[in-house]
Amino acid sequence: MTSGIVWCLYISIFSIISISKTSKNFKSSCLIKSFLFGATITCVFCWLQCLLDVLGVSRDLTLLCQGCTSRIFGFPHPSGFAIEPQFMGNLLLAPSLFSIFLFFSNRKSTLLDRKLLLAPSVLFISTLFLTFSRGAIYSFVFALLFFVIANILKSNKRALLSLPLVVACFLLSLLAQGLFSAASYTNDTFLSGIEKSISQLSLGLFEPNFSASRTSSEISISEETLDDSLEGNNSAEDPGENLSVFSGYVEESTDIRVGLNEQALELSASSSNSLFFGFGLGSAGTVLFEEGKTASKKEIIQNEYFSLLLETGLTGLLLALLTYFVIVKLIKSSTPTFERIFLYTLFIASIASLNFFSGLPNALHLYIFPAILFVYLL
């Protein structure tokens, strides 16, 4: 199935490029308008999810994932139409970076007036931060720094203005998380929401202590209460019913991912055959479970590169690197300078984000977006 989906992606990408070159009725501007409109609708839905959750609306209606509600951190983090916030965040990388490119590039003409692009840019970027996906946010910041530096080296100092815009969007998302915390059904406050957000995003390096520290009795939540919290089944008699599950940086969320990477590396090195050819495409979850590394076949490695190493060995990784090389050569030979910088930026964001998630569910568009933008910029 994994192989079939990958081939469908390749067919879709090549078809987009082929149609753009051969069809007389094809208009790339219409494609881009649809792309930006779709991103706008999705972002509005993400904010609506948060508002509805704060108001106590059921997950059956909000479509939030199980671990996305205010019960977890005191404020919701939207999953949009994706299965988890990390997928939603990664899907917003392309529209966020593209809006920055249109707004701050030195292109002589743009599809939309720059003034009209400001609102979508703020919406896309602030929603990306609102998803609370560290992988997507780190990838976005890394790619943005490349975009700014590369443009400055090409005498486009206008790109520097994108930095205050992004900072403003981050502050907007922090403000929203604080307000959601204060208005939610938990006992969190405006300052505690901001404190938790900064703590989690900084991997615990920054603990602002804006709010008063909780007592040991307040943070003593039993495993049963945690399970009930995730399911949204707290009873009225539970003294901790208004407590959010986490009070700051969740170390386990990082440790589990690092542990899975180490296990993938260990299993890959178990024999020469597995090292060079892997255990088979799409087999990561099954192999980890059968080797007693995880409790379920559904547990996957949250890193596409370690997942590829386990499934396809060094051969698969080398083929992936070869694909990257071909893409870079194609961009270099086909596009003008500033368009090339943007496509490299999007490429960097995409390959960086694959360090934080793996698999294909609900993220198919992630692989098609670069091809769509490539066609437009041609």
Side-chain angles (χ1 to χ4, degrees):
M1 185 179 71
T2 302
S3 178
I5 292 174
V6 171
W7 275 111
C8 285
L9 282 171
Y10 273 119
I11 292 169
S12 299
I13 290 168
F14 290 134
S15 296
I16 291 169
I17 296 173
S18 177
I19 291 170
S20 70
K21 291 180 178 180
T22 58
S23 175
K24 295 180 180 179
N25 297 322
F26 180 83
K27 293 182 179 180
S28 63
S29 60
C30 293
L31 190 66
I32 294 304
K33 285 178 181 178
S34 298
F35 171 69
L36 293 175
F37 180 74
T40 300
I41 294 298
T42 302
C43 288
V44 170
F45 179 72
C46 285
W47 285 87
L48 181 62
Q49 278 185 308
C50 293
L51 289 171
L52 291 176
D53 180 73
V54 167
L55 293 173
V57 177
S58 167
R59 281 180 50 239
D60 294 335
L61 294 177
T62 64
L63 304 183
L64 282 171
C65 74
Q66 191 175 29
C68 302
T69 66
S70 300
R71 178 61 61 192
I72 306 303
F73 283 101
F75 56 83
H77 44 296
S79 52
F81 298 111
I83 197 169
E84 292 177 3
Q86 64 173 342
F87 290 113
M88 190 65 254
N90 280 285
L91 290 171
L92 288 173
L93 286 174
S96 297
L97 290 169
F98 185 59
S99 65
I100 288 175
F101 164 71
L102 289 179
F103 199 86
F104 296 106
S105 71
N106 270 345
R107 303 179 82 229
K108 293 180 180 179
S109 60
T110 57
L111 176 64
L112 298 171
D113 183 82
R114 281 195 171 96
K115 293 180 181 178
L116 295 177
L117 277 168
L118 181 59
S121 295
V122 171
L123 179 63
F124 300 159
I125 300 168
S126 60
T127 307
L128 191 157
F129 284 118
L130 193 67
T131 63
F132 212 41
S133 168
R134 289 173 297 171
I137 292 171
Y138 298 161
S139 300
F140 172 73
V141 171
F142 182 62
L144 178 69
L145 291 176
F146 169 83
F147 175 79
V148 172
I149 294 171
N151 271 281
I152 290 174
L153 293 176
K154 293 296 181 180
S155 302
N156 177 22
K157 295 182 180 180
R158 179 187 179 86
L160 269 172
L161 296 174
S162 63
L163 295 179
L165 171 66
V166 171
V167 171
C169 291
F170 173 63
L171 293 176
L172 175 62
S173 70
L174 269 184
L175 176 64
Q177 288 166 337
L179 291 173
F180 288 146
S181 295
S184 72
Y185 41 82
T186 68
N187 67 343
D188 284 273
T189 65
F190 175 80
L191 291 178
S192 72
I194 293 177
E195 181 181 289
K196 290 181 184 181
S197 179
I198 294 174
S199 175
Q200 177 72 352
L201 291 178
S202 66
L203 304 181
L205 293 177
F206 297 100
E207 298 286 353
N209 280 328
F210 293 142
S211 59
S213 299
R214 295 182 181 183
T215 64
S216 57
S217 62
E218 284 179 315
I219 60 174
S220 177
I221 302 175
S222 67
E223 186 175 335
E224 183 180 351
T225 303
L226 174 59
D227 292 339
D228 285 343
S229 296
L230 291 173
E231 293 293 342
N233 296 326
N234 289 299
S235 64
E237 292 76 24
D238 185 356
E241 67 172 331
N242 291 327
L243 285 175
S244 50
V245 176
F246 299 115
S247 58
Y249 171 49
V250 186
E251 250 182 287
E252 293 84 354
S253 64
T254 303
D255 294 343
I256 290 173
R257 289 168 180 259
V258 174
L260 287 170
N261 292 343
E262 292 173 348
Q263 289 165 8
L265 194 59
E266 179 185 329
L267 288 174
S268 296
S270 60
S271 70
S272 57
N273 188 64
S274 61
L275 180 62
F276 287 101
F277 302 107
F279 290 89
L281 191 63
S283 67
T286 302
V287 172
L288 287 170
F289 175 74
E290 291 178 348
E291 293 294 327
K293 304 293 185 182
T294 59
S296 169
K297 292 182 180 180
K298 293 181 180 180
E299 185 73 56
I300 59 174
I301 302 165
Q302 296 293 324
N303 184 307
E304 185 64 23
Y305 302 108
F306 281 100
S307 186
L308 277 177
L309 177 64
L310 183 62
E311 295 180 356
T312 62
L314 291 175
T315 303
L317 277 181
L318 288 173
L319 287 172
L321 290 175
L322 178 61
T323 303
Y324 288 173
F325 175 76
V326 171
I327 292 172
V328 170
K329 293 284 288 183
L330 179 64
I331 294 173
K332 184 178 180 180
S333 63
S334 306
T335 52
T337 301
F338 292 111
E339 281 79 355
R340 187 185 311 149
I341 290 174
F342 164 68
L343 288 171
Y344 283 154
T345 300
L346 181 59
F347 181 61
I348 288 171
S350 299
I351 63 175
S353 70
L354 292 176
N355 282 289
F356 303 99
F357 83 98
S358 63
L360 299 166
N362 274 29
L364 296 176
H365 342 26
L366 184 68
Y367 303 95
I368 299 177
F369 286 162
I372 291 174
L373 298 178
F374 174 76
V375 165
Y376 168 68
L377 294 175
L378 284 179

